């Protein structure tokens, strides 16, 4: 399950784990115009873990999900 909220400066997506006996903590994704912030609570450390990705890294991740293993470089628009 997931939710989508549009805030003033970001779109916030929350991914809720459901359906398995070993549920993970919610994942919160904040999409800003210049970067994406991914957060998840780590109960072992009792704190939020945060990853900040550039829009270029996010495009690479989206492409990588559908490719076999290897080394890739995506072409920039206009190349």
């Amino acid at each position: 399950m997931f939710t989508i909220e549009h805030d003033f400066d970001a779109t916030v997506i929350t991914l809720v784990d459901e359906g398995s006996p070993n549920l993970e903590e919610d994942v919160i994704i904040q999409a800003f115009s210049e970067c994406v912030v991914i957060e998840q609570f780590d109960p072992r450390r009792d704190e939020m873990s945060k990853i900040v990705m550039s829009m270029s890294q996010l495009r690479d991740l989206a492409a990588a999900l559908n490719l076999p293993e290897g080394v890739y470089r995506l072409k920039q628009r206009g190349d």
Side-chain angles (χ1 to χ4, degrees):
M1 180 178 94
F2 60 92
T3 65
I4 301 172
E5 300 173 52
H6 298 290
D7 290 343
F8 173 72
D9 60 346
T11 297
V12 179
I13 301 167
T14 303
L15 306 176
V16 179
D17 196 9
E18 60 182 353
S20 94
N22 300 320
L23 298 177
E24 296 294 334
E25 297 290 332
D26 294 355
V27 174
I28 301 167
I29 303 162
Q30 299 175 61
F32 298 93
S33 61
E34 70 282 353
C35 68
V36 173
V37 178
I38 303 167
E39 296 179 309
Q40 185 177 41
F41 183 72
D42 183 344
R44 292 170 291 184
R45 296 185 329 181
D46 195 33
E47 65 183 27
M48 292 294 280
S49 295
K50 180 188 289 191
I51 297 172
V52 179
M53 299 175 70
S54 70
M55 299 312 275
S56 176
Q57 289 173 311
L58 184 63
R59 282 190 295 275
D60 288 350
L61 174 60
L65 292 173
N66 296 311
L67 292 169
E69 67 179 83
V71 178
Y72 300 90
R73 176 175 287 134
L74 297 178
K75 290 186 177 183
Q76 299 295 322
R77 289 182 181 167
D79 285 353

